[in-house]
Each structure stands twice: as C-alpha cells, then as structure tokens.
Amino acid sequence: MQVQDTPEEWRVVATTTPFTGNKTSVRTDEVVMPDGSVVRRDYQVHPGSVAVLALDDQDRVLVLRQYRHPVRQKLWEIPAGLLDVPGENPLHAAQRELYEEAHAKAGEWRVLADVYTTPGGCDEAVRIFLARDLAEAEGERYAVAEEEADMEVARIPLDELVRGVLAGELHNNCLVVGVLSLVAARAGDGVDALRPADAPWPARPFEA
C-alpha cells in the first residue's frame, strides 16, 4: 500500500458563506455522504500560509514570541505569514516574511514540509521552508504594529526547541512541524535531499 494523500471531492449540493472577514471567511457546504445522506460542514476558508525555519551556522533557530489572542498565550513561533496574493510564489512570500518579522535574509532555501493545519475545520495549507546561510537584511526595518509591536526575536539552539516540543512546552504548529521535520531529515537522507524551494505545491498552485 502506498501511503500518500490523494485528491477527492464529494458532491456539494449547496453552499453558503455566512461570514466574510478581512482575510478569511466561513463557508457552509451541504455534502453528500457515501450512504446518500446530506450533511452540513462548516469550515474556515483560508488563503494559505508560509513559514520559515531559519537556521544559523551555530545550529540555532530564529524564533519569535508573539501574543495569540484565541489561545490567550504568548507563543514561540517561527516567522510565518499569509499568501496575500492568489497564485503568489510561496518562496517569495517566505522571503518577505523573514525580512519583515526578523530583518533577515537567507542564501539557501529548501522545502521542509507541506501541511494542512486543521483539515477538519479549515482549508489552510502551509508550506514550511528551511532557510540557511542567514544574514541581516539591508535597509530599514519593516514597521510593525498591533501584536507584532510587542514581538520578541531570539535565536534558540535546535536541541532546546526539540526538548521543549517533546516536553509539551512549545505548541505552535509550524514550529513543531518544522523542528521535528529538520531532525527527521538529518536522521534520514540529509537536508540536501529535501525538495527544492520551488517544488510544486498542489494545495496552492503558483507560477515560478
């Protein structure tokens, strides 16, 4: 058996959008089940995101500490952001987020993992990149506001983040997936065997 997710789409007989927000919306679909019954499924419609596990030459990961109101916590995270433009190249978006949130740039990029954050209730897809050969970005720092104005930036050893994840002390999904994916890649064929930064992404197709 090949263990691989595959495209499939059950018939939708009706759909409504009861809420439309600034970046996301909520959709209600009436979906035909295998037994012929029809059920309602509510889910958040999301443009997609990118995240960056930026690793320096001392094996430290660039992380941010930011307040997240829905969970009422300050979370340690890796740089991440929305795909603001439909069809936007995710690598370009990741480079932008690394600059805006950490005033950094990277010379080497690979794809670490592609994930659906909460596929039972949201269609958000995230591409997590590995960025190496870090340097400070040129020019002025990006002007931040709201929660980002209170954001802390640090570089934490990879081993310490792994310990925190397994101890239940770190919870941000992109950080958890990125850190553990990097460890798995190193234990396997190595990071140079990771997919290239422009690898196809069926969940959010883009032009090179």
Side-chain angles (χ1 to χ4, degrees), residues 4-5 48-53 78 83 88-91 94 110-119 123-130 173-174 176-182 194-206:
Q4 180 177 334
D5 297 336
S49 307
V50 292
V52 185
L53 194 144
I78 57 178
L83 290 169
E88 180 178 17
N89 187 310
L91 174 59
R110 294 275 182 170
V111 174
L112 261 180
D114 296 328
V115 297
Y116 292 116
T117 54
T118 48
D123 70 353
E124 180 183 12
V126 182
R127 168 157 282 188
I128 305 173
F129 290 90
L130 171 64
N173 61 344
C174 291
V176 171
V177 172
V179 163
L180 298 185
S181 293
L182 177 56
L194 290 168
R195 287 172 292 162
D198 60 352
W201 189 16
R204 293 294 184 273
F206 63 93

Side-chain angles (χ1 to χ4, degrees), residues 41-165:
R41 292 290 178 260
D42 304 318
Y43 58 100
Q44 183 184 19
V45 179
H46 194 285
S49 307
V50 292
V52 185
L53 194 144
L55 191 70
D56 70 14
D57 57 6
Q58 297 179 51
D59 217 36
R60 299 177 303 176
V61 177
L62 195 159
V63 291
L64 317 166
R65 189 167 182 246
Q66 185 172 352
Y67 176 66
R68 293 301 188 182
H69 186 71
V71 295
R72 307 303 199 270
Q73 290 192 12
K74 272 193 169 182
L75 300 181
W76 286 103
E77 307 178 350
I78 57 178
L82 298 176
L83 290 169
D84 293 325
V85 180
E88 180 178 17
N89 187 310
L91 174 59
H92 298 167
Q95 291 169 332
R96 180 185 68 237
E97 294 301 328
L98 185 61
Y99 160 72
E100 291 182 356
E101 296 193 342
H103 198 66
K105 63 180 181 179
E108 294 184 45
W109 292 81
R110 294 275 182 170
V111 174
L112 261 180
D114 296 328
V115 297
Y116 292 116
T117 54
T118 48
C122 180
D123 70 353
E124 180 183 12
V126 182
R127 168 157 282 188
I128 305 173
F129 290 90
L130 171 64
R132 295 179 292 170
D133 187 20
L134 297 185
E136 185 173 354
E138 297 89 358
E140 296 183 1
R141 289 185 173 271
Y142 181 77
V144 296
E146 299 173 350
E147 289 92 342
E148 292 183 352
D150 187 54
M151 191 165 59
E152 304 169 47
V153 180
R155 296 192 182 199
I156 305 297
L158 177 64
D159 289 346
E160 176 62 17
L161 294 177
V162 172
R163 186 208 62 77
V165 168

